Amino acid sequence: MAYQLKNRFRRVGPFMHYLQADLPQARRLAFSPVPKTNPVLKISENHYTFSFLNQEKSYTGRVNWGEENYGKLWNYNLQYVDFLRQQDISDDAKLMLLYDLYEELKKGTLRLEPYPVSLRVMNVIRFLHQQTKPSVRLQGWIYGEINYLSRNLEYHLLGNHLLENGFAILMAGYYFQNRQWIGQAEKLLAVELEEQILSDGAHFELSPMYHQIILFRVLEALDYLPIESKLNPLLLEKAKKMLAWLQAMTFSNGDIPHFNDSADGIAFNSLGLIDYARKLNILPENNHQLGVSGYLLFRLGMYECAVDAAAIGPSYQPGHGHADALSFILYANGRPLLVEAGTSTYNDCPQRQLERSTRSHNSVEVNGQNQSEVYGAFRVGRRATVNIHEVGDDVLAASHDGYKSPFGITHRRKFQFENERLTIIDTLSGKKAKEAIASFHFHPDVIVNTEADQIVLNDDTVIHFEGAYNLTSESYQFSIGFNQTLSATVLRVYFTTKLHTTINFKR
């Protein structure tokens, strides 16, 4: 709370205030090529077309670096200058765009903000590393940005924001050989990595997408840091654990489960990160077992099932969490069958509320209430506590108390895994629910047919329910990335106290 208040009343000086005349000698850092990503910028003569979050904007002549017609997140992406990674854009064009952006910062028409500053500085340093004669002007500007960032860390937001701040200061500290910045970054990262990377290797915000983002930063630092850096042992330890967790939680086709705020097209994918680590001679930790994160992925015969038996997120930073306790995602033969509705927006709007709700996940909603109280774009009030009662190679049993108040109801879910069958047993204990609904969200490519008392998927998978008194199907919007959805089918299964669901993968 103190940092929230401090940030609210903090006065940030103009960009020019952080620049200095005498610039220290920069040193070259060792960077390996990053994994491939989709291009974000197309240039045609004096025409610039940027594409972020599945939204495209074109400019003729000059770019509006403060563009917010598509929202704050789109503008942040514009400011990251990820186009510097593209090989199909000339260095002259990149320099012209960078000079234009920094002119806006100097004039004050674009204001400094810690998060875009962090990502932009790291992109620019990588770009300067490739230049035979690096631009002294650019070096001066990024020096000024780190001068600002080192005094404006995002302690009011914490989480991945604070880690990005630390990695940016660390990279700039070694680039400019600034011992003060190096010391500040080392101290910050040593504390935050211990706090944010859980003992089983998961990032504590419990979003597989943000896990990928932070893992890249850890690997990148190990790439350029000198051997004598005191951070190397800690970074290597975390990298091995994070790689093992990511490998264990990635489906065989390369997808990650979209638990909490996760979407495609934002982070480097799992296969790219694992390959990047391999090129750095970093391998996943051996004998890895998922634990404290509460996420598990079971692989049996024809199918893979990821289960969310996790808390909604760290108690003081649950902003990327959803009301999705005991939800699951199911793939068969390398293809998605049951999925999360996903994340298509961070804007504070009805769609954001819906995507974070229990109704948008493959779990059980009681009396029309969310398990955890999610509101605003990133706020959480009352939250469910999850307890795991039994876990093994072929079983997982867990419960949560999200309906204890005000309904006096506990939801227990048991998964039983066999090679060609998955059984899910839902039990509501305590007071009788007025209405309990188990939701099953099918991927848009799945063909759903109802035959008598069973549901047939793609002509080869059958779902049967015992204890249901009503089944209805409706359309929902499945997110295929930010600002992009497809219509798909969700099955709502109504029951009172117990529901027995059997999924057979051979008819």
Side-chain angles (χ1 to χ4, degrees), residues 68-311:
E68 287 196 8
N69 285 334
Y70 289 152
K72 193 70 172 177
L73 186 59
W74 196 94
N75 176 253
Y76 271 13
N77 275 267
L78 181 65
Q79 291 193 49
Y80 299 159
V81 297
D82 284 341
F83 62 81
L84 294 177
R85 299 175 186 163
Q86 291 182 219
Q87 300 300 313
D88 59 341
I89 299 175
S90 70
D91 284 357
D92 287 343
K94 292 174 181 177
L95 283 168
M96 185 180 68
L97 287 167
L98 286 174
Y99 289 157
D100 188 52
L101 184 152
Y102 280 104
E103 283 301 319
E104 296 300 307
L105 284 169
K106 287 164 64 179
K107 288 189 296 185
T109 51
L110 183 68
R111 67 188 184 94
L112 292 167
E113 295 183 76
Y115 195 71
V117 162
S118 298
L119 274 64
R120 179 167 60 241
V121 163
M122 289 187 278
N123 276 331
V124 174
I125 290 176
R126 291 189 74 108
F127 172 69
L128 289 171
H129 163 75
Q130 301 168 6
Q131 308 303 301
T132 305
K133 293 183 178 180
S135 166
V136 176
R137 276 197 293 170
L138 270 180
Q139 289 176 334
W141 292 332
I142 62 172
Y143 190 94
E145 287 192 285
I146 296 297
N147 201 13
Y148 152 80
L149 181 62
S150 65
R151 307 177 199 181
N152 292 274
L153 297 170
E154 294 179 277
Y155 278 106
H156 62 294
L157 294 177
L158 301 167
N160 66 88
H161 279 245
L162 196 53
L163 281 177
E164 296 282 19
N165 299 164
F167 281 117
I169 295 171
L170 182 72
M171 184 185 291
Y174 276 100
Y175 184 67
F176 289 110
Q177 303 175 72
N178 185 310
R179 300 307 307 174
Q180 181 178 345
W181 289 347
I182 291 172
Q184 181 186 24
E186 287 178 340
K187 182 178 179 180
L188 169 63
L189 290 172
V191 171
E192 290 303 318
L193 286 170
E194 288 288 11
E195 172 78 8
Q196 295 194 36
I197 308 305
L198 303 178
S199 58
D200 68 355
H203 181 251
F204 79 155
E205 290 187 78
L206 301 177
S207 156
M209 179 186 79
Y210 280 101
H211 181 98
Q212 291 174 322
I213 290 171
I214 298 305
L215 173 57
F216 169 72
R217 289 299 178 205
V218 171
L219 294 173
E220 181 183 51
L222 285 166
D223 190 11
Y224 71 75
L225 282 177
I227 296 174
E228 65 271 15
S229 171
K230 64 172 67 174
L231 266 184
N232 278 329
L234 177 63
L235 289 169
L236 185 59
E237 173 200 337
K238 300 305 180 186
K240 289 180 176 181
K241 287 186 175 183
M242 293 182 77
L243 280 165
W245 188 90
L246 183 63
Q247 193 166 271
M249 285 303 300
T250 298
F251 290 107
S252 59
N253 72 342
D255 291 351
I256 54 170
H258 286 173
F259 290 138
N260 288 325
D261 280 344
S262 289
D264 293 329
I266 303 298
F268 294 115
N269 64 39
S270 297
L271 298 181
L273 289 167
I274 292 168
D275 183 61
Y276 181 40
R278 190 179 298 116
K279 290 176 180 176
L280 300 177
N281 295 315
I282 301 171
L283 299 176
E285 185 180 75
N286 291 327
N287 302 318
H288 175 73
Q289 297 214 349
L290 299 181
V292 68
S293 68
Y295 286 165
L296 300 101
L297 197 154
F298 296 84
R299 309 177 199 270
L300 284 97
M302 302 172 64
Y303 67 94
E304 300 166 281
C305 182
V307 181
D308 178 353

Side-chain angles (χ1 to χ4, degrees), residues 40-59:
V40 299
L41 171 61
K42 294 179 182 177
I43 301 177
S44 177
E45 295 182 357
N46 203 28
H47 196 71
Y48 306 93
T49 300
F50 291 90
S51 180
F52 308 114
L53 310 175
N54 297 306
Q55 292 179 312
E56 195 170 87
K57 176 71 177 178
S58 296
Y59 302 94

